[in-house]
Amino acid sequence: MPEEVNIRISGEAGQGMQTIGQALCLIYKNAGLNVFANQDYMSRIKGGNNFFQIRISSRPVYTLRRNVDIAVALDKASITLHQEALTSGGMMLLDRSKFGISQENSAFFDIPLSEFAMKTGGNEIFTNSVACGALSAMTGVEFNCAEEVFKAVFSDKPEDVVKKNIAAALAGYKFIKDNFRRRIFQLKAGDLKSQLVLGGHEALSLGAIRAGCKFYCAYPMTPSTGIMNTIAHYAGRFNIAVEQAEDEIAAVNMAIGASFAGVRAMTASSGGGFALMAEGLSLAGMTETPLVTVLAQRPAPATGFPTRTEQGDLDFAIHAGHGEFARVVYAPGTIEEAFYLTVKAFNIAEKYQIPVLILSDQHLADSYRNIEMFDLESAKTRRYIISKEDSKDITDYRRYRLTDSGISPRAIPSWIEEVFYADSDEHNESGHITEDALTRVKMVEKRFSKKMEGLKREIIKPTLFNVPGAEIILVGFGSTYGILKEAAESIREKKIGFIHLAQVWPFPGEEIEGILGRAKKTISVENNAQAQLARLIRRETGIKMDKSILKFDGRPFDLDFFRECLEKEF
């Protein structure tokens, strides 16, 4: 019985790879198998070649593998493109009649996907449901698991659509049961029904909702658009205003305006859009307005690879905007962190009245994994504004009052009777414009130095694994968590430890300086070309990393590629 099975469903954009992929994730989770899945898609609405890859295992999994045991070709081009990805003994499901394939190949398994789709649904769009049923059978999953998922996935569709999809899946399931004799793809299952299957940006969006976000605005830009889609889906239930702005400049300023008025607000974009937000970021810094912004990285510069992944905006996030002001930059590495760090981002932004950035990327955004239910007690919303009742008694209100912490009392403009002054120019405690030198010094110390001192006391400590006595210590941030974890756990030739940073600014230098200073060999693991994390570590600690393993082809690390890179260091 194998430890894991890797599956790839490929075809043209518009053939429903995402639908079938997400359905399969739920099917396997309900069947008691751990899943990790990721999408690979081209920047086009139709055509090209996209694929959805799923790794299922009896144990938790956190990253991708290079090769697959089962491939499903939904179009003819996929046969050539993905055949070489098959493992020894791997199988490719394809429709010979549909594609006009006559040559024999031991790796091909013929299944009349198109015929079954037409018979059960009357349309070839049901081909992916046939394939879903076939894959369920090949991996030893009972059909009732698939049926339950199809009822849930298509619950918002007319009843006849649900029935047709189930019938299509059953046709594929029965065909495999009757004709496929090999049983090498079955795994030992557990009980995971109480768990969730979520994508990175789904979890991030739910974190925003949990934190009390009531205004979300953005201009669509891959890979950040999924956040807007998810929040819009729940907007009616949670009374959230969602606005598609005309551009990213409008989006960030609308979010600042909503936050100024007392509403928890968020915006998101990718690198090009975030570049347009930089002036607004500084506005939030000067006016001390809470702002949560997601920077969903993709390869750049300019338009780059719109649907691919990279971690090339680390330096940009830390330094974006003109002038000096306090900020926090989080970089979640898991589905769970995407949720919890978003809640924390809103709390910290409001407590310190600063911008907080959440660094994501396409890999995290479009990865799916089974996780435990969120602990809502660990994700509580904390507000840091003067209550409406107390606001009635305010006299001598100074929005930018100088305090030991740098944090001024914050009231909602419409809740106080006094005139409310706020200004983007340098200002005094009352908000009036000033050019006084001493006032300038005090205000910079307030906005920057004092707040940064407080923020340093709230730094999220890095995740440490297998560090004492490690021969090699890997260091990464954001979505590299999965590859760090599985490499450290699976490599036996050397004792490998890792440090993962979920917060990159303020930098947790004290937490890792002692570890790296004593390490035998240190390697940063990054999806960028400049080793930006390694350079940040050197700037903040004086420690030079021994080596960097870098990948910047637009694709994430997979376990097999990474092991090959690491073994060269042994």
Side-chain angles (χ1 to χ4, degrees):
M1 185 173 288
E3 289 188 358
E4 64 180 61
V5 174
N6 290 275
I7 301 168
R8 181 179 295 179
I9 306 105
S10 60
E12 294 181 355
Q15 285 192 293
M17 267 75 66
Q18 183 175 5
T19 301
I20 182 178
Q22 291 178 343
L24 281 166
C25 287
L26 290 170
I27 289 168
Y28 289 128
K29 186 272 297 185
N30 288 352
L33 297 170
N34 294 280
V35 300
F36 181 88
N38 186 260
Q39 298 181 75
D40 186 292
Y41 53 100
M42 299 178 72
S43 180
R44 57 186 69 187
I45 297 171
K46 279 197 170 187
N49 188 265
N50 298 350
F51 65 85
F52 195 104
Q53 188 157 318
I54 307 171
R55 184 180 175 198
I56 58 175
S57 176
S58 301
R59 58 179 177 78
V61 284
Y62 298 87
T63 191
L64 298 170
R65 300 300 297 268
R66 174 189 293 161
N67 298 114
V68 295
D69 303 293
I70 308 172
V72 180
L74 295 180
D75 71 338
K76 190 172 183 178
S78 294
I79 300 170
T80 303
L81 288 171
H82 300 286
Q83 187 177 342
E84 289 187 2
L86 290 173
T87 57
S88 176
M91 302 295 296
M92 176 174 281
L93 275 63
L94 72 162
D95 192 330
R96 285 180 178 272
S97 176
K98 173 72 174 176
F99 303 145
I101 305 295
S102 57
Q103 69 265 33
E104 293 297 323
N105 189 313
S106 60
F108 291 172
F109 184 81
D110 184 30
I111 176 171
L113 297 170
S114 181
E115 178 186 334
F116 287 156
M118 293 301 296
K119 283 184 177 179
T120 56
N123 193 309
E124 288 197 1
I125 198 172
F126 293 96
T127 297
N128 52 24
S129 295
V130 179
C132 198
L135 288 169
S136 299
M138 288 184 77
T139 48
V141 174
E142 295 296 328
F143 185 73
N144 67 299
C145 288
E147 186 174 7
E148 289 175 9
V149 167
F150 271 86
K151 288 179 180 178
V153 168
F154 297 106
S155 60
D156 59 340
K157 303 292 184 183
E159 186 177 351
D160 68 314
V161 173
V162 179
K163 289 181 177 179
K164 287 178 179 179
N165 276 284
I166 293 173
L170 183 60
Y173 189 90
K174 287 183 175 179
F175 184 84
I176 293 297
K177 283 291 187 181
D178 293 340
N179 296 279
F180 190 74
R181 302 306 175 194
R182 300 168 63 182
R183 304 185 66 81
I184 61 170
F185 301 119
Q186 294 189 38
L187 299 172
K188 182 180 179 181
D191 183 8
L192 305 176
K193 276 203 168 185
S194 63
Q195 293 191 348
L196 305 171
V197 173
L198 281 180
H201 276 183
E202 289 177 335
L204 191 155
S205 303
L206 293 176
I209 293 170
R210 172 61 179 172
C213 178
K214 295 298 180 185
F215 181 77
Y216 181 87
C217 56
Y219 183 80
M221 190 172 189
T222 304
S224 69
T225 310
I227 300 171
M228 182 159 60
N229 294 340
T230 302
I231 293 179
H233 177 76
Y234 293 106
R237 187 184 307 180
F238 294 100
N239 195 29
I240 304 169
V242 177
E243 175 71 17
Q244 179 175 320
E246 62 268 30
D247 55 37
E248 290 84 356
I249 298 172
V252 70
N253 287 312
M254 290 170 74
I256 292 169
S259 181
F260 179 81
V263 172
R264 286 199 160 183
M266 182 169 80
T267 186
S269 189
S270 185
F274 182 74
L276 296 174
M277 293 182 178
E279 185 180 15
L281 198 71
S282 293
L283 175 63
M286 174 60 92
T287 60
E288 300 182 58
T289 305
L291 175 67
V292 177
T293 303
V294 180
L295 169 49
Q297 302 165 98
R298 72 190 201 190
T303 310
F305 271 179
T307 60
R308 306 297 180 185
T309 198
E310 201 161 279
Q311 293 183 313
D313 296 344
L314 175 60
D315 285 340
F316 184 28
I318 292 172
H319 300 291
H322 53 292
E324 299 167 304
F325 53 94
R327 77 186 69 195
V328 171
V329 183
Y330 294 131
T334 65
I335 309 298
E336 296 92 333
E337 282 185 346
F339 175 82
Y340 292 113
L341 284 181
T342 303
V343 177
K344 188 172 181 66
F346 276 93
N347 290 338
I348 289 293
E350 188 167 287
K351 179 178 179 180
Y352 288 90
Q353 302 168 20
I354 58 168
V356 175
L357 307 180
I358 303 173
L359 269 181
S360 176
D361 54 43
Q362 184 271 330
H363 182 51
L364 178 66
D366 292 328
S367 290
Y368 300 84
R369 188 167 59 82
N370 58 295
I371 63 170
E372 297 290 344
M373 292 283 188
F374 295 123
D375 178 10
L376 299 184
E377 287 299 308
S378 300
K380 289 185 176 180
T381 297
R382 293 174 175 83
R383 298 304 306 262
Y384 298 92
I385 54 178
I386 300 171
S387 70
K388 190 171 185 179
E389 183 176 328
D390 292 339
S391 296
K392 298 175 183 177
D393 301 323
I394 290 178
T395 57
D396 187 30
Y397 179 69
R398 285 174 280 171
R399 172 64 187 93
Y400 304 110
R401 183 188 297 272
L402 296 172
T403 64
D404 291 339
S405 65
I407 304 170
S408 306
R410 178 170 169 246
I412 303 305
S414 62
W415 290 358
I416 61 175
E417 294 184 4
E418 292 195 354
V419 178
F420 191 110
Y421 297 98
D423 205 283
S424 63
D425 286 70
E426 190 56 274
H427 43 257
N428 61 19
E429 289 183 279
S430 297
H432 295 294
I433 296 174
T434 183
E435 295 190 24
D436 178 70
L438 180 59
T439 301
R440 164 66 179 175
V441 171
K442 289 181 178 179
M443 283 297 167
V444 171
E445 290 175 342
K446 163 188 162 49
R447 287 190 301 265
F448 181 64
S449 305
K450 291 182 178 181
K451 288 186 180 183
M452 287 298 288
E453 284 302 312
L455 290 168
K456 287 176 182 178
R457 292 190 290 270
E458 303 210 38
I459 286 176
I460 297 171
K461 293 184 178 181
T463 298
L464 307 179
F465 176 83
N466 216 21
V467 166
E471 296 172 82
I472 297 175
I473 294 181
L474 309 172
V475 188
F477 72 100
S479 65
T480 58
Y481 174 87
I483 198 69
L484 298 177
K485 179 176 176 62
E486 291 215 34
E489 289 178 340
S490 64
I491 293 175
R492 306 299 180 197
E493 297 89 335
K494 296 274 187 180
K495 184 178 180 183
I496 310 293
F498 76 79
I499 301 172
H500 177 266
L501 302 174
Q503 176 169 340
V504 292
W505 196 260
F507 189 76
E510 293 182 5
E511 283 76 6
I512 68 171
E513 188 172 353
I515 299 170
L516 295 182
R518 297 190 302 269
K520 296 178 182 179
K521 188 168 188 176
T522 58
I523 301 175
S524 76
V525 182
E526 311 181 48
N527 280 120
N528 60 59
Q530 297 185 71
Q532 293 183 30
L533 177 61
R535 296 195 307 173
L536 177 61
I537 290 170
R538 189 170 189 181
R539 289 199 301 268
E540 295 299 314
T541 68
I543 296 172
K544 182 180 179 181
M545 302 295 289
D546 295 315
K547 177 80 174 181
S548 292
I549 296 178
L550 308 175
K551 197 172 192 292
F552 45 92
D553 60 358
R555 278 71 177 173
F557 284 101
D558 64 70
L559 184 58
D560 306 283
F561 171 84
F562 186 69
R563 283 184 60 112
E564 290 174 0
C565 293
L566 202 54
E567 285 167 1
K568 295 176 183 177
E569 307 303 319
F570 291 177

